[in-house]
Amino acid sequence: MGILFGRPFALVPEVVWRTALKHLPVPPMVTGKMSRVDVPGKVMGRIITVPLTPSQLLTMPRTKVQARISAAIDMARDLGASVVGLGALTAPASVGGKAFAKREDIGVTNGNAFTAAMTLQAMEKLTASLGRDPLIAIVGATGSVGSCLTRLYARKHAGRLLLVARNEKRLLALAADVRRDGVEASVSTDMADVSRADLVVLLTSSPDALLRSEHLKRGAIVLDDTVPRNTDEKLLVERPDVLIVDGGLVEIPGFDLRGSIALAPKLAYACLAETMLLALSGHQGHFCMGEAQVDQAEHILELSIKHQHLGFQLAPFRSFGKLILDAPTRTVAAPVEELVSCAA
């Protein structure tokens, strides 16, 4: 059984949660009897809520936040789970899950290996419409997903990357690594430099909308893998020339995913899907903790191929929850439920 948990009640405004939960020691909860992951005839997993807002997960004392997450893991164990996936900002709040590395009673994964693998596939599809030698900016390049994605890209491609993050020393080390694979990699700690990129991939754990109109080249494509989003819907009005794509989503037609995480039918976040794949394969112990590794991404991709009769493939592109009928022409369909991406 896989237990998946993350941000509480995606459609409730954060200000409501922040006010209600400021001083209350609210325990983790299974968000109703419908919050589960089913395969035909079997409940495979439960969705457990850690009742903290995104900003609280990142700004409250780390010991208090990790105690809440640990209580949710205890609940998962008591429900019979073999592996727990750290959804949304519960991963960066627990150092990518490393805070629970000493636990031997249940396996923990942060979901970032499959997120990196699916993000690479999305990048490959999106760059196909950008002509020869596009510049790809990876914002949050030194994070758990970003560093793995950068190395995965370098193994398959010899294109141009702009690596953006706060820590210049880590950026330089990552750039040196991928240059050895033939990638032309430059680095920056300034978001303004993103305005040179044809494709912008957002992979930060910031609770703010970091990407603004002035950061975008004319006709750019943005792949937003973040939660909370690093893009604001007003960009659609300010920059109609730009395509913004919701990242980190996979199709799971073989499952019935129910609960309060605001997904369109038959979709899952890649981080949740990683937990599902580990549960299906009978994985024991921890999997992805801290920085996702290339070999972990390749392994989880192999598992997705093994279980492809259930789905686990890159979902059709959406923009702020609306299905994109044809990504290169930026045509969108009628609205569906708002999506909350999952990244760390």
Side-chain angles (χ1 to χ4, degrees):
M1 178 186 291
I3 300 292
L4 320 167
F5 64 94
R7 174 185 169 186
F9 307 126
L11 301 182
V12 178
E14 180 172 338
V15 65
V16 176
W17 279 100
R18 188 168 59 246
T19 302
L21 305 178
K22 186 174 182 180
H23 303 294
L24 296 177
V26 182
M29 64 192 80
V30 178
T31 55
K33 65 180 181 179
M34 300 300 286
S35 294
R36 64 194 193 204
V37 183
D38 295 351
V39 290
K42 180 181 179 181
V43 177
M44 178 186 169
R46 292 287 187 183
I47 300 167
I48 296 175
T49 289
V50 179
L52 292 172
T53 69
S55 60
Q56 286 174 326
L57 281 165
L58 294 177
T59 61
M60 281 177 57
R62 182 163 284 186
T63 53
K64 291 185 178 181
V65 172
Q66 291 176 0
R68 297 252 190 129
I69 300 172
S70 185
I73 296 175
D74 291 343
M75 177 180 286
R77 176 203 60 206
D78 294 344
L79 286 168
S82 60
V83 60
V84 169
L86 299 173
L89 293 178
T90 57
S94 59
V95 200
K98 289 196 292 185
F100 312 116
K102 293 184 179 179
R103 293 191 68 138
E104 299 180 352
D105 53 341
I106 191 170
V108 176
T109 190
N110 57 30
N112 291 343
F114 198 46
T115 299
M118 290 294 99
T119 302
L120 178 62
Q121 291 188 13
M123 286 170 56
E124 291 169 339
K125 290 188 69 173
L126 291 170
T127 53
S129 67
L130 290 174
R132 294 185 59 186
D133 200 26
L135 176 63
I136 302 171
I138 300 179
V139 181
T142 59
S144 177
V145 178
S147 58
C148 183
L149 171 65
T150 301
R151 292 186 170 97
L152 280 171
Y153 178 89
R155 285 198 177 187
K156 295 185 63 178
H157 304 279
R160 295 188 299 143
L161 294 180
L162 170 62
L163 307 179
V164 183
R166 295 175 180 174
N167 189 312
E168 187 176 24
K169 183 177 179 180
R170 293 180 64 189
L171 276 172
L172 291 171
L174 179 62
D177 280 350
V178 298
R179 285 175 188 142
R180 286 191 284 269
D181 288 324
V183 170
E184 181 184 333
S186 57
V187 304
S188 177
T189 59
D190 188 351
M191 280 292 289
D193 288 334
V194 171
S195 62
R196 297 188 285 112
D198 301 289
L199 172 64
V200 180
V201 184
L202 297 172
L203 295 164
T204 82
S205 55
S206 171
D208 302 313
L210 298 179
L211 194 71
R212 299 190 298 273
S213 176
E214 61 266 28
H215 297 144
L216 292 167
K217 178 180 181 179
R218 181 164 182 80
I221 298 176
V222 178
L223 180 62
D224 191 345
D225 258 29
T226 60
V227 56
R229 298 187 71 108
N230 285 172
T231 52
D232 191 290
E233 202 164 0
K234 67 183 181 182
L235 277 175
L236 300 177
V237 176
E238 295 173 352
R239 294 296 303 273
D241 60 299
V242 169
L243 175 65
I244 301 174
V245 178
D246 303 332
L249 297 173
V250 297
E251 289 186 302
I252 50 164
F255 291 85
D256 186 8
L257 179 61
R258 309 180 188 183
S260 56
I261 54 176
L263 284 170
K266 303 302 179 182
L267 294 182
Y269 310 126
C271 51
L272 269 65
E274 177 172 302
T275 315
M276 295 160 68
L277 285 165
L278 293 173
L280 283 167
S281 66
H283 179 85
Q284 297 296 313
H286 304 314
F287 182 64
C288 186
M289 285 188 160
E291 186 175 297
Q293 303 299 313
V294 169
D295 61 341
Q296 291 173 328
E298 291 175 342
H299 175 68
I300 206 73
L301 269 175
E302 291 173 359
L303 292 182
S304 71
I305 294 170
K306 179 180 178 180
H307 297 287
Q308 62 184 345
H309 60 288
L310 296 170
F312 300 109
Q313 299 170 353
L314 186 68
F317 290 135
R318 286 170 164 75
S319 180
F320 291 94
K322 300 176 184 178
L323 186 64
I324 302 171
L325 300 180
D326 188 345
T329 60
R330 294 152 167 77
T331 303
V332 298
V336 295
E337 290 181 285
E338 179 186 1
L339 300 179
V340 183
S341 300
C342 181

